[in-house]
Amino acid sequence: MTDTSFEHPKAGSEASPPGLRSFAASMLAGVLRALAVRRDRRLLHALPDSLLKDIGINRGNIDYVATRDECGGFGSRGDSLYSSCRPRSE
């Protein structure tokens, strides 16, 4: 007789390959980034022109500002447009 029992992976065990977890984390980071950019655009478009001028931007470059990180480069950034730019500790 053959043993047909199936053991479920225990919590904390390697239930999925590392590549899949990395892919999923990267996809989640992309979605969160897109949501943050969308929120920043909406918030900036809601400001009056006088406040936009105070922070050094105009309506024409809101999309550009919203897609940049607060340190000046493109890519992953903090949670929102208003988070502080801190150097990475190594």
Coordinates of all heavy atoms in Angstrom, one line a residue:
M1 N 0.8 -1.2 0.0 CA 0.0 0.0 0.0 C 0.9 1.2 0.0 O 1.9 1.3 0.7 CB -0.9 0.0 1.3 CG -2.2 0.6 1.1 SD -3.1 0.3 2.6 CE -4.6 0.7 2.0
T2 N 0.5 2.2 -0.7 CA 1.3 3.4 -0.8 C 0.7 4.5 0.1 O -0.5 4.6 0.3 CB 1.4 4.0 -2.2 OG1 0.1 4.3 -2.6 CG2 2.0 3.0 -3.2
D3 N 1.6 5.3 0.6 CA 1.2 6.4 1.5 C 0.8 7.6 0.6 O 1.6 8.2 -0.1 CB 2.3 6.8 2.4 CG 1.9 7.9 3.4 OD1 0.7 8.1 3.6 OD2 2.8 8.5 4.0
T4 N -0.5 8.0 0.7 CA -1.0 9.1 -0.1 C -1.3 10.4 0.7 O -2.0 11.3 0.3 CB -2.3 8.7 -0.8 OG1 -3.3 8.3 0.2 CG2 -2.1 7.6 -1.8
S5 N -0.7 10.4 1.9 CA -1.0 11.6 2.8 C -0.1 12.8 2.2 O 0.9 12.6 1.6 CB -0.6 11.3 4.2 OG 0.8 11.1 4.3
F6 N -0.6 13.9 2.4 CA 0.0 15.2 2.0 C 0.3 16.1 3.2 O -0.7 16.3 3.9 CB -0.9 15.9 1.0 CG -0.3 17.2 0.5 CD1 0.8 17.2 -0.5 CD2 -0.7 18.4 0.9 CE1 1.3 18.3 -0.9 CE2 -0.2 19.6 0.5 CZ 0.8 19.5 -0.4
E7 N 1.5 16.5 3.4 CA 1.8 17.4 4.5 C 1.8 18.8 4.0 O 2.5 19.1 3.0 CB 3.2 17.0 5.1 CG 3.2 15.7 5.8 CD 4.5 15.4 6.4 OE1 5.2 16.4 6.8 OE2 4.9 14.2 6.5
H8 N 1.1 19.7 4.7 CA 1.1 21.1 4.3 C 2.3 21.7 4.9 O 2.8 21.4 5.9 CB -0.2 21.8 5.0 CG -1.4 21.3 4.3 ND1 -1.9 21.8 3.1 CD2 -2.4 20.4 4.8 CE1 -3.0 21.2 2.8 NE2 -3.3 20.4 3.8
P9 N 2.9 22.7 4.2 CA 4.1 23.4 4.7 C 3.7 24.1 6.0 O 2.6 24.7 6.1 CB 4.4 24.4 3.6 CG 3.4 24.3 2.5 CD 2.4 23.2 2.9
K10 N 4.6 24.1 6.9 CA 4.4 24.8 8.2 C 4.7 26.3 8.0 O 5.4 26.7 7.1 CB 5.4 24.2 9.2 CG 5.1 22.7 9.5 CD 6.0 22.2 10.6 CE 5.8 20.9 11.0 NZ 5.6 19.8 10.8
A11 N 4.1 27.0 8.9 CA 4.3 28.5 8.9 C 5.8 28.8 9.0 O 6.5 28.2 9.9 CB 3.5 29.1 10.0
G12 N 6.3 29.7 8.2 CA 7.6 30.1 8.3 C 8.5 29.3 7.4 O 9.7 29.5 7.3
S13 N 8.0 28.2 6.8 CA 8.8 27.4 5.9 C 8.9 28.0 4.6 O 8.2 28.9 4.2 CB 8.3 25.9 5.9 OG 7.1 25.9 5.2
E14 N 9.7 27.4 3.7 CA 9.9 27.9 2.4 C 8.7 27.5 1.5 O 8.7 26.5 0.8 CB 11.2 27.4 1.8 CG 12.4 28.0 2.4 CD 12.6 29.5 2.2 OE1 12.3 29.9 1.1 OE2 12.9 30.2 3.2
A15 N 7.6 28.2 1.6 CA 6.3 27.8 0.9 C 6.4 28.2 -0.5 O 5.7 27.7 -1.4 CB 5.1 28.3 1.6
S16 N 7.1 29.3 -0.9 CA 7.2 29.8 -2.2 C 8.7 30.1 -2.5 O 9.4 30.4 -1.7 CB 6.3 31.0 -2.4 OG 6.8 32.1 -1.6
P17 N 9.0 29.9 -3.8 CA 10.4 30.2 -4.2 C 10.8 31.6 -4.0 O 10.0 32.5 -4.1 CB 10.5 29.8 -5.7 CG 9.1 29.7 -6.1 CD 8.2 29.5 -4.9
P18 N 12.1 31.9 -3.7 CA 12.5 33.3 -3.5 C 12.2 34.2 -4.6 O 11.9 35.4 -4.5 CB 14.0 33.2 -3.2 CG 14.2 31.8 -2.9 CD 13.1 31.0 -3.5
G19 N 12.4 33.7 -5.9 CA 12.1 34.5 -7.0 C 10.7 35.1 -7.1 O 10.4 36.2 -7.5
L20 N 9.8 34.2 -6.7 CA 8.3 34.6 -6.7 C 8.1 35.7 -5.7 O 7.4 36.6 -5.9 CB 7.5 33.4 -6.5 CG 6.0 33.6 -6.5 CD1 5.5 34.2 -7.8 CD2 5.2 32.3 -6.1
R21 N 8.7 35.5 -4.5 CA 8.5 36.5 -3.4 C 9.1 37.8 -3.9 O 8.5 38.9 -3.6 CB 9.1 36.0 -2.1 CG 8.2 35.1 -1.4 CD 8.9 34.7 -0.1 NE 10.0 33.8 -0.6 CZ 10.8 33.1 0.2 NH1 10.7 33.2 1.5 NH2 11.7 32.3 -0.3
S22 N 10.2 37.8 -4.5 CA 10.9 39.0 -5.0 C 10.0 39.7 -6.0 O 9.9 40.9 -6.0 CB 12.3 38.7 -5.5 OG 12.9 39.8 -6.1
F23 N 9.5 38.9 -6.9 CA 8.6 39.5 -8.0 C 7.4 40.1 -7.4 O 7.0 41.2 -7.7 CB 8.2 38.3 -9.0 CG 7.2 38.8 -10.0 CD1 7.6 39.6 -11.0 CD2 5.9 38.4 -9.9 CE1 6.7 40.0 -12.0 CE2 5.0 38.8 -10.8 CZ 5.4 39.6 -11.9
A24 N 6.8 39.4 -6.4 CA 5.6 39.9 -5.8 C 5.9 41.2 -5.0 O 5.1 42.1 -5.1 CB 5.0 38.8 -4.8
A25 N 7.0 41.2 -4.3 CA 7.4 42.4 -3.6 C 7.6 43.6 -4.5 O 7.2 44.7 -4.2 CB 8.6 42.1 -2.7
S26 N 8.2 43.3 -5.6 CA 8.5 44.3 -6.6 C 7.2 44.9 -7.2 O 7.1 46.1 -7.5 CB 9.5 43.7 -7.6 OG 9.5 44.2 -8.8
M27 N 6.3 44.0 -7.5 CA 5.0 44.4 -8.1 C 4.2 45.2 -7.1 O 3.7 46.3 -7.4 CB 4.2 43.2 -8.5 CG 4.7 42.4 -9.7 SD 4.7 43.4 -11.2 CE 3.0 43.6 -11.4
L28 N 4.2 44.8 -5.8 CA 3.6 45.6 -4.8 C 4.2 47.0 -4.6 O 3.5 48.0 -4.5 CB 3.6 44.8 -3.4 CG 3.0 45.5 -2.2 CD1 1.5 45.8 -2.5 CD2 3.2 44.7 -1.0
A29 N 5.5 47.0 -4.6 CA 6.2 48.3 -4.5 C 5.8 49.2 -5.7 O 5.6 50.4 -5.5 CB 7.7 48.1 -4.5
G30 N 5.7 48.7 -6.9 CA 5.3 49.5 -8.1 C 3.9 50.0 -7.9 O 3.6 51.2 -8.3
V31 N 3.0 49.2 -7.4 CA 1.6 49.6 -7.2 C 1.5 50.7 -6.2 O 0.8 51.7 -6.3 CB 0.7 48.4 -6.8 CG1 -0.7 48.9 -6.3 CG2 0.5 47.5 -8.0
L32 N 2.2 50.5 -5.1 CA 2.2 51.5 -4.0 C 2.8 52.8 -4.5 O 2.4 53.9 -4.2 CB 3.0 51.0 -2.8 CG 2.3 49.9 -2.1 CD1 3.2 49.4 -0.9 CD2 1.0 50.2 -1.5
R33 N 3.9 52.8 -5.3 CA 4.5 54.0 -5.9 C 3.5 54.7 -6.8 O 3.4 55.9 -6.8 CB 5.7 53.6 -6.7 CG 6.3 54.6 -7.6 CD 7.6 55.2 -7.1 NE 8.2 56.1 -8.0 CZ 8.0 57.4 -8.0 NH1 7.2 57.9 -7.1 NH2 8.5 58.2 -8.9
A34 N 2.8 53.9 -7.6 CA 1.8 54.5 -8.5 C 0.7 55.2 -7.8 O 0.2 56.3 -8.1 CB 1.2 53.5 -9.5
L35 N 0.2 54.6 -6.7 CA -0.8 55.2 -5.8 C -0.3 56.5 -5.2 O -1.0 57.5 -5.1 CB -1.3 54.2 -4.8 CG -2.1 53.0 -5.3 CD1 -2.4 52.0 -4.2 CD2 -3.4 53.5 -5.9
A36 N 1.0 56.5 -4.7 CA 1.6 57.7 -4.1 C 1.7 58.8 -5.1 O 1.4 60.0 -4.8 CB 2.9 57.3 -3.5
V37 N 2.1 58.5 -6.3 CA 2.2 59.5 -7.4 C 0.8 60.1 -7.7 O 0.7 61.3 -7.8 CB 2.9 59.0 -8.6 CG1 2.7 59.9 -9.8 CG2 4.4 58.7 -8.4
R38 N -0.1 59.3 -7.8 CA -1.5 59.7 -8.1 C -2.0 60.6 -7.0 O -2.6 61.7 -7.2 CB -2.4 58.5 -8.2 CG -3.8 58.8 -8.6 CD -4.6 57.6 -8.7 NE -6.0 57.9 -9.0 CZ -7.0 57.1 -9.2 NH1 -6.7 55.8 -9.3 NH2 -8.2 57.5 -9.4
R39 N -1.8 60.3 -5.7 CA -2.2 61.1 -4.6 C -1.4 62.4 -4.6 O -2.1 63.5 -4.4 CB -1.9 60.3 -3.3 CG -2.3 61.1 -2.0 CD -1.7 60.6 -0.8 NE -0.2 60.6 -0.9 CZ 0.6 59.5 -0.6 NH1 0.1 58.4 -0.2 NH2 1.9 59.6 -0.7
D40 N -0.1 62.4 -4.8 CA 0.6 63.6 -4.9 C 0.1 64.6 -6.0 O 0.0 65.8 -5.7 CB 2.1 63.4 -5.1 CG 2.7 62.7 -3.8 OD1 2.1 62.6 -2.8 OD2 3.9 62.2 -4.0
R41 N -0.2 64.0 -7.1 CA -0.7 64.9 -8.2 C -2.0 65.5 -7.8 O -2.2 66.7 -8.0 CB -0.9 64.0 -9.5 CG 0.3 63.7 -10.2 CD 0.0 63.0 -11.5 NE 1.2 62.7 -12.2 CZ 1.5 61.6 -12.9 NH1 0.6 60.7 -12.9 NH2 2.6 61.5 -13.6
R42 N -2.9 64.7 -7.2 CA -4.2 65.2 -6.8 C -4.0 66.3 -5.7 O -4.7 67.4 -5.8 CB -5.0 64.1 -6.2 CG -6.4 64.5 -5.8 CD -7.3 63.3 -5.3 NE -6.5 62.2 -4.6 CZ -6.3 62.2 -3.3 NH1 -6.7 63.2 -2.5 NH2 -5.6 61.2 -2.7
L43 N -3.2 66.1 -4.8 CA -2.9 67.1 -3.7 C -2.3 68.4 -4.3 O -2.8 69.5 -3.9 CB -2.0 66.6 -2.6 CG -2.7 65.5 -1.8 CD1 -1.6 64.8 -0.9 CD2 -3.8 66.0 -1.0
L44 N -1.4 68.3 -5.2 CA -0.8 69.5 -5.8 C -1.7 70.2 -6.7 O -1.8 71.5 -6.6 CB 0.5 69.1 -6.6 CG 1.7 68.7 -5.7 CD1 2.8 68.1 -6.6 CD2 2.2 69.8 -4.9
H45 N -2.5 69.5 -7.4 CA -3.5 70.2 -8.3 C -4.6 70.9 -7.4 O -5.2 71.9 -7.9 CB -4.2 69.2 -9.2 CG -3.4 69.0 -10.5 ND1 -3.2 69.9 -11.4 CD2 -2.7 67.9 -10.9 CE1 -2.5 69.4 -12.4 NE2 -2.2 68.2 -12.1
A46 N -4.8 70.5 -6.2 CA -5.8 71.1 -5.3 C -5.3 72.4 -4.7 O -6.0 73.2 -4.2 CB -6.2 70.2 -4.2
L47 N -3.9 72.6 -4.7 CA -3.4 73.9 -4.1 C -3.6 75.1 -5.0 O -3.6 75.0 -6.2 CB -1.9 73.7 -3.9 CG -1.4 72.6 -2.9 CD1 0.1 72.5 -2.9 CD2 -1.9 73.0 -1.5
P48 N -3.8 76.2 -4.4 CA -3.9 77.5 -5.2 C -2.5 77.8 -5.8 O -1.5 77.4 -5.3 CB -4.4 78.5 -4.2 CG -4.0 78.0 -2.9 CD -4.0 76.5 -3.0
D49 N -2.6 78.6 -6.9 CA -1.3 79.0 -7.6 C -0.3 79.7 -6.7 O 0.9 79.5 -6.8 CB -1.6 79.9 -8.8 CG -2.3 79.1 -9.9 OD1 -2.1 77.9 -10.0 OD2 -3.0 79.7 -10.7
S50 N -0.8 80.5 -5.7 CA 0.1 81.2 -4.8 C 0.9 80.2 -4.0 O 2.1 80.5 -3.7 CB -0.7 82.2 -4.0 OG -1.7 81.5 -3.2
L51 N 0.3 79.2 -3.5 CA 1.0 78.2 -2.7 C 2.0 77.4 -3.6 O 3.1 77.1 -3.1 CB 0.1 77.2 -2.0 CG -0.6 77.8 -0.8 CD1 -1.6 76.8 -0.2 CD2 0.3 78.3 0.3
L52 N 1.6 77.1 -4.8 CA 2.5 76.4 -5.7 C 3.7 77.2 -5.9 O 4.9 76.7 -5.9 CB 1.8 76.0 -7.0 CG 0.7 74.9 -6.9 CD1 0.0 74.8 -8.3 CD2 1.3 73.6 -6.5
K53 N 3.5 78.5 -6.1 CA 4.6 79.4 -6.4 C 5.5 79.5 -5.1 O 6.8 79.5 -5.3 CB 4.1 80.8 -6.7 CG 5.2 81.8 -7.0 CD 4.6 83.2 -7.4 CE 5.7 84.1 -7.7 NZ 5.2 85.5 -7.9
D54 N 5.0 79.4 -3.9 CA 5.7 79.4 -2.7 C 6.7 78.2 -2.6 O 7.8 78.3 -2.0 CB 4.8 79.5 -1.5 CG 4.2 80.8 -1.2 OD1 4.6 81.8 -1.9 OD2 3.2 80.9 -0.4
I55 N 6.2 77.1 -3.1 CA 7.1 75.9 -3.0 C 7.9 75.7 -4.2 O 8.7 74.7 -4.4 CB 6.3 74.6 -2.7 CG1 5.2 74.3 -3.8 CG2 5.6 74.7 -1.3 CD1 4.5 73.0 -3.6
G56 N 7.8 76.7 -5.2 CA 8.7 76.7 -6.3 C 8.3 75.9 -7.5 O 9.2 75.5 -8.3
I57 N 7.0 75.6 -7.7 CA 6.6 74.9 -8.9 C 5.3 75.6 -9.4 O 4.8 76.5 -8.8 CB 6.2 73.4 -8.6 CG1 5.0 73.3 -7.6 CG2 7.4 72.7 -8.1 CD1 4.5 71.9 -7.4
N58 N 5.0 75.3 -10.7 CA 3.8 75.8 -11.3 C 2.9 74.7 -11.8 O 3.4 73.5 -11.8 CB 4.1 76.8 -12.4 CG 4.9 76.2 -13.5 OD1 4.6 75.1 -13.9 ND2 5.9 77.0 -14.0
R59 N 1.7 74.9 -12.2 CA 0.8 73.9 -12.6 C 1.4 73.0 -13.8 O 1.1 71.9 -13.9 CB -0.5 74.5 -13.1 CG -1.2 75.1 -11.9 CD -2.7 74.9 -12.0 NE -3.3 75.5 -10.7 CZ -3.4 74.8 -9.6 NH1 -3.1 73.5 -9.5 NH2 -3.9 75.4 -8.6
G60 N 2.2 73.7 -14.6 CA 2.8 73.0 -15.8 C 3.8 71.9 -15.4 O 4.0 71.0 -16.2
N61 N 4.4 72.0 -14.2 CA 5.3 70.9 -13.9 C 4.9 70.0 -12.7 O 5.7 69.4 -12.1 CB 6.7 71.5 -13.7 CG 6.8 72.5 -12.6 OD1 5.9 72.7 -11.9 ND2 8.0 73.1 -12.5
I62 N 3.6 70.0 -12.4 CA 3.1 69.2 -11.3 C 3.4 67.7 -11.6 O 3.9 67.0 -10.7 CB 1.6 69.4 -11.0 CG1 1.4 70.8 -10.3 CG2 1.0 68.3 -10.2 CD1 0.0 71.1 -10.0
D63 N 3.1 67.3 -12.8 CA 3.3 65.8 -13.1 C 4.8 65.5 -13.0 O 5.2 64.4 -12.5 CB 2.8 65.5 -14.5 CG 1.3 65.6 -14.6 OD1 0.7 65.4 -13.6 OD2 0.8 65.7 -15.7
Y64 N 5.7 66.4 -13.4 CA 7.1 66.1 -13.3 C 7.5 66.0 -11.9 O 8.3 65.1 -11.5 CB 7.9 67.3 -14.0 CG 9.4 67.2 -13.9 CD1 10.1 66.3 -14.6 CD2 10.1 68.0 -13.0 CE1 11.5 66.2 -14.5 CE2 11.4 68.0 -12.9 CZ 12.1 67.0 -13.7 OH 13.5 67.0 -13.5
V65 N 7.1 66.9 -11.0 CA 7.4 67.0 -9.6 C 6.9 65.7 -8.9 O 7.5 65.1 -8.1 CB 6.9 68.3 -8.9 CG1 7.1 68.2 -7.4 CG2 7.7 69.5 -9.5
A66 N 5.6 65.4 -9.2 CA 5.0 64.2 -8.5 C 5.7 62.9 -8.9 O 5.6 62.0 -8.0 CB 3.5 64.2 -8.9
T67 N 6.3 62.8 -10.0 CA 6.9 61.5 -10.4 C 8.4 61.4 -10.0 O 9.0 60.4 -10.1 CB 6.9 61.2 -11.9 OG1 7.4 62.3 -12.6 CG2 5.4 61.0 -12.3
R68 N 9.0 62.5 -9.4 CA 10.3 62.4 -8.9 C 10.3 62.1 -7.4 O 9.4 62.5 -6.7 CB 11.0 63.8 -9.2 CG 11.3 64.1 -10.6 CD 11.9 65.4 -10.8 NE 13.1 65.6 -10.2 CZ 14.3 65.3 -10.7 NH1 14.4 64.8 -11.9 NH2 15.4 65.5 -10.0
D69 N 11.4 61.5 -7.0 CA 11.5 61.3 -5.5 C 12.0 62.7 -4.9 O 12.5 63.6 -5.6 CB 12.4 60.2 -5.2 CG 13.9 60.4 -5.5 OD1 14.3 61.5 -5.8 OD2 14.6 59.4 -5.3
E70 N 11.9 62.8 -3.6 CA 12.2 64.0 -2.9 C 13.7 64.3 -2.9 O 14.1 65.4 -2.6 CB 11.7 64.1 -1.5 CG 12.3 63.1 -0.6 CD 11.6 61.7 -0.6 OE1 10.7 61.5 -1.4 OE2 12.0 60.9 0.2
C71 N 14.6 63.4 -3.3 CA 16.0 63.6 -3.4 C 16.4 64.0 -4.8 O 17.6 64.3 -5.0 CB 16.8 62.3 -3.0 SG 16.5 61.9 -1.3
G72 N 15.5 64.1 -5.7 CA 15.8 64.7 -7.0 C 15.9 63.6 -8.1 O 16.0 64.0 -9.3
G73 N 15.9 62.4 -7.8 CA 16.0 61.4 -8.8 C 14.7 60.7 -9.1 O 13.8 60.9 -8.3
F74 N 14.7 59.9 -10.1 CA 13.5 59.1 -10.4 C 13.6 57.7 -9.7 O 14.7 57.2 -9.6 CB 13.2 58.9 -11.9 CG 12.9 60.2 -12.6 CD1 13.8 61.0 -13.1 CD2 11.5 60.6 -12.6 CE1 13.5 62.2 -13.7 CE2 11.2 61.8 -13.2 CZ 12.1 62.6 -13.8
G75 N 12.5 57.1 -9.4 CA 12.6 55.8 -8.8 C 11.8 55.7 -7.5 O 11.0 56.6 -7.2
S76 N 12.2 54.8 -6.7 CA 11.5 54.6 -5.4 C 11.8 55.8 -4.5 O 12.8 56.4 -4.5 CB 11.9 53.3 -4.7 OG 13.3 53.3 -4.4
R77 N 10.8 56.1 -3.7 CA 10.9 57.3 -2.9 C 10.2 57.0 -1.6 O 9.7 55.9 -1.4 CB 10.3 58.5 -3.5 CG 8.9 58.4 -3.8 CD 8.4 59.7 -4.5 NE 7.0 59.6 -4.6 CZ 6.2 60.6 -4.8 NH1 6.7 61.8 -4.7 NH2 5.0 60.4 -4.9
G78 N 10.1 58.0 -0.7 CA 9.4 57.8 0.5 C 7.9 57.6 0.3 O 7.4 57.5 -0.8
D79 N 7.2 57.6 1.4 CA 5.7 57.4 1.3 C 5.0 58.5 0.6 O 4.0 58.2 0.0 CB 5.2 57.3 2.8 CG 3.7 57.0 2.8 OD1 3.3 56.1 2.0 OD2 3.0 57.6 3.5
S80 N 5.4 59.7 0.6 CA 4.7 60.8 0.0 C 5.6 61.9 -0.4 O 6.8 61.9 -0.1 CB 3.6 61.3 0.8 OG 4.1 62.2 1.8
L81 N 5.0 62.9 -1.1 CA 5.8 64.0 -1.5 C 6.3 64.8 -0.3 O 7.3 65.5 -0.4 CB 4.8 64.9 -2.3 CG 5.3 66.3 -2.9 CD1 6.3 66.0 -4.0 CD2 4.2 67.1 -3.4
Y82 N 5.7 64.7 0.8 CA 6.0 65.5 2.0 C 7.0 64.8 2.9 O 7.3 65.3 3.9 CB 4.7 65.8 2.7 CG 3.8 66.5 1.8 CD1 2.7 65.8 1.3 CD2 4.0 67.8 1.3 CE1 1.8 66.4 0.4 CE2 3.1 68.4 0.4 CZ 2.0 67.7 0.0 OH 1.2 68.3 -0.9
S83 N 7.4 63.6 2.6 CA 8.4 62.9 3.5 C 9.8 63.5 3.3 O 10.1 64.1 2.3 CB 8.4 61.4 3.2 OG 8.9 61.2 1.9
S84 N 10.6 63.5 4.3 CA 11.9 64.1 4.3 C 12.9 63.3 3.5 O 12.8 62.1 3.5 CB 12.4 64.4 5.7 OG 12.6 63.2 6.4
C85 N 13.9 63.9 3.0 CA 14.9 63.2 2.2 C 16.1 63.0 3.2 O 16.7 63.9 3.6 CB 15.4 64.1 1.0 SG 16.7 63.4 0.1
R86 N 16.3 61.7 3.5 CA 17.4 61.4 4.4 C 18.4 60.5 3.7 O 18.0 59.7 2.9 CB 16.8 60.6 5.6 CG 16.0 61.5 6.5 CD 15.4 60.6 7.5 NE 14.2 60.0 6.9 CZ 13.1 59.7 7.5 NH1 13.0 59.8 8.7 NH2 12.1 59.2 6.8
P87 N 19.7 60.8 3.9 CA 20.7 59.9 3.3 C 20.6 58.5 3.8 O 20.2 58.3 5.0 CB 22.0 60.5 3.7 CG 21.7 61.5 4.8 CD 20.3 61.8 4.7
R88 N 20.9 57.5 3.0 CA 20.8 56.1 3.4 C 22.0 55.8 4.3 O 23.1 56.2 4.1 CB 20.8 55.2 2.2 CG 19.6 55.3 1.4 CD 19.7 54.3 0.2 NE 18.5 54.5 -0.6 CZ 18.4 54.0 -1.8 NH1 19.4 53.4 -2.3 NH2 17.3 54.1 -2.5
S89 N 21.7 55.1 5.4 CA 22.7 54.7 6.3 C 23.2 53.3 5.8 O 22.5 52.5 5.4 CB 22.2 54.6 7.7 OG 21.1 53.7 7.8
E90 N 24.5 53.1 5.8 CA 25.1 51.8 5.4 C 25.6 51.0 6.5 O 26.0 51.4 7.5 CB 26.1 52.2 4.3 CG 25.5 52.8 3.1 CD 26.6 53.1 2.0 OE1 27.5 52.3 2.0 OE2 26.3 54.0 1.3

